[in-house]
Amino acid sequence: MTDQNSPALQALRTGEDALWLRPGGPARFEDVPTLVSAAEIGDAADRFERFAPILARLFADRDWDGQVRSDLFAFPEAAGAPPRLLKGDHALPMTGSIKARGGVHELLAHIEHFAHAAGIALDDPAATAAARPAFARLRILVASTGNLGYSIGLVARAFGVSVDIHMSRDAKAWKKDALRALGATVVEHDSDYSAAVARAREAAAAEGAIFIDDENSRLLLTGYAVAAAELAQQLADRSIPVTAERPIVVYLPCGVGGAPGGITLGLKRIFGEAAICLFVEPVESACMLAAMASGERPAPDVYHYGRTNRTIADGLAVPRASDLVLDAVGPCIDGVLTVSDAAMTQGVRRVWRELGQRIEPSAAAGPAAFAPFLRAAAGRPGWEAVDAATHIFWATGGSRLPDAEFLPLIDAAD
Ligand SMILES: *Cc1c(COP(=O)(O)O)cnc(C)c1O
């Protein structure tokens, strides 16, 4: 039974900031679904290891060891404020967004499979370079609001793979231009993300090409999940405690749910209730909030609740959450918060001022949700440990934003 009049769904209907928190407190180890296994996440980590020398060579213009890893930044300490960190996936190598973990992982799996079948020795640099014409026979399609298509297109073209990128109306012109310059085909749709996915899926089926399905991909999910062990190591290196009494609160910008879902799965497997995983969405694209607060399956779309799916946060402009994520991760999502476009713009400015890091509005969803979450958790039964928590904002993209996109964001008045 779900309560269609719950405060979360009421706020969603009226277009106010909304919040859903797991009744009774954060999910524990025993709440983590087993649909996606720890072994699958291990396979993804191994695949990234195998590809590191290959990627380092293909992207040799940058001084890089081929590891898809990001830095952890500490905000300056402020009197009376809890410790805050920023996980720097906005500056991930190759793509400048978190898609280097999930979408790119699935692409690498297809490349590996194709190379094996075609007898291309991926561990031989000369053979991989000479195989560009052969890789052109590998046809891949993907749909995107921008970053997924940009990331997959960029890495696919580095191998010589043939890609069609179906872009929803949210995609920024600079990403489409960059892809065309690399030899990717960009198909523009004047529709939302879900519709672009449906069109691309049909087109892939019609020609028998591979479709990277952001709404329903285990390879995507496991690629993101690898990031959890990386963060755990960084926290250990800094002697930051992660216990039920002193948890981490991790703020994860959410579109379709794959990136935050994979990371949550990984973190909950390592830390249980000591990692509080919050998904953050734009008010107008609150598809995960709609799904978690209503409990409906298949996931409802945001239009049903009167929202428009129009937001400055193009990476999060998704009207319907992934049912795979809801099945594989839903029972260990601890909370969903929605934030306004204005709050995300302010978050971009704060991160620029405090850390000098260039992030995009989508990536600023976490900082925007910080104060509202603290207010909501205060005094709530089951959430007492938040008082002693370390807060980690997952910055998901933006280091590649051109000045023409970024400067207007930080010039705006507070
Ligand atoms: C894709 C993306 C997200 C969210 O990922 P989903 O898998 O769609 O939930 C968040 N931030 C940025 C910048 C992204 O590009």
Side-chain angles (χ1 to χ4, degrees):
M1 278 295 287
T2 64
D3 178 8
Q4 288 292 332
N5 293 316
S6 68
L9 293 181
Q10 292 282 25
L12 179 62
R13 279 195 198 88
T14 53
E16 290 155 69
D17 292 1
L19 162 136
W20 173 88
L21 290 182
R22 179 166 295 286
R28 299 157 182 265
F29 286 112
E30 56 267 34
D31 300 319
V32 182
T34 53
L35 182 60
V36 173
S37 70
E40 278 179 86
I41 300 174
D43 287 347
D46 292 346
R47 180 168 290 112
F48 277 122
E49 285 300 326
R50 286 196 296 279
F51 269 94
I54 304 162
L55 295 176
R57 204 172 54 237
L58 285 176
F59 292 86
D61 52 316
R62 283 149 232 172
D63 180 20
W64 178 42
D65 62 4
Q67 300 282 344
V68 180
R69 298 219 172 110
S70 71
D71 291 334
L72 186 62
F73 302 86
F75 282 86
E77 283 172 31
R84 293 169 303 144
L85 302 165
L86 185 90
K87 180 64 175 147
D89 279 8
H90 64 294
L92 273 176
M94 302 187 287
T95 68
S97 85
I98 196 167
K99 302 300 189 290
R101 299 187 185 275
V104 169
H105 173 249
E106 173 159 3
L107 172 70
L108 296 180
H110 293 305
I111 286 174
E112 204 167 40
H113 189 251
F114 179 85
H116 186 73
I120 301 165
L122 278 176
D123 52 359
D124 174 354
T128 306
R132 279 189 71 87
F135 273 123
R137 284 189 281 115
L138 175 56
R139 284 275 299 143
I140 290 190
L141 277 76
V142 64
S144 175
T145 65
N147 282 341
L148 182 67
Y150 177 73
S151 301
I152 286 177
L154 191 76
V155 179
R157 292 306 300 148
F159 283 88
V161 169
S162 159
V163 277
D164 288 8
I165 314 289
H166 288 246
M167 291 290 205
S168 70
R169 63 176 162 234
D170 316 282
K172 297 278 188 269
W174 69 270
K175 290 176 190 162
K176 298 185 241 187
D177 294 345
L179 284 171
R180 289 191 177 109
L182 289 169
T185 301
V186 177
V187 184
E188 298 183 64
H189 295 281
D190 185 25
S191 66
D192 72 14
Y193 172 71
S194 298
V197 169
R199 296 283 301 282
R201 194 185 277 128
E202 282 163 22
E207 65 160 295
I210 289 171
F211 177 59
I212 294 185
D213 192 342
D214 195 23
E215 285 181 334
N216 189 27
S217 163
R218 299 171 80 101
L219 287 166
L220 235 113
L221 213 55
T222 53
Y224 289 122
V226 170
E230 177 187 320
L231 176 66
Q233 185 62 52
Q234 288 172 317
L235 294 170
D237 289 346
R238 293 175 187 217
S239 307
I240 293 172
V242 189
T243 64
E245 295 74 35
R246 298 181 68 187
I248 51 172
V249 179
V250 187
Y251 299 78
L252 300 158
C254 176
V256 75
I263 292 169
T264 295
L265 196 59
L267 287 175
K268 285 291 186 182
R269 284 245 162 84
I270 299 171
F271 293 121
E273 66 182 312
I276 298 174
C277 298
L278 304 177
F279 288 30
V280 190
E281 301 179 297
V283 166
E284 294 297 332
S285 303
C287 59
M288 192 57 81
L289 181 97
M292 293 303 292
S294 73
E296 273 179 46
R297 300 291 180 281
D301 68 39
V302 296
Y303 310 121
H304 176 74
Y305 290 95
R307 305 278 47 86
T308 61
N309 192 36
R310 302 276 182 163
T311 170
I312 187 176
D314 46 310
L316 312 180
V318 174
R320 212 179 75 78
S322 156
D323 286 309
L324 170 66
V325 169
L326 289 164
D327 291 342
V329 191
C332 59
I333 296 172
D334 294 319
V336 190
L337 291 93
T338 73
V339 293
S340 67
D341 281 11
M344 286 185 278
T345 308
Q346 219 174 66
V348 170
R349 282 200 290 278
R350 247 184 308 168
V351 168
W352 176 247
R353 273 195 223 121
E354 292 191 46
L355 295 174
Q357 295 296 317
R358 186 178 286 223
I359 68 171
E360 61 188 84
S362 298
F370 172 57
F373 172 67
L374 285 184
R375 278 196 298 275
R380 191 180 284 243
W383 296 84
E384 294 81 3
V386 170
D387 289 343
T390 298
H391 297 260
I392 305 174
F393 308 118
W394 210 289
T396 46
S399 64
R400 298 278 180 86
L401 279 191
D403 284 352
E405 297 273 334
F406 182 69
L407 296 179
L409 290 169
I410 53 165
D411 284 347
D414 254 326

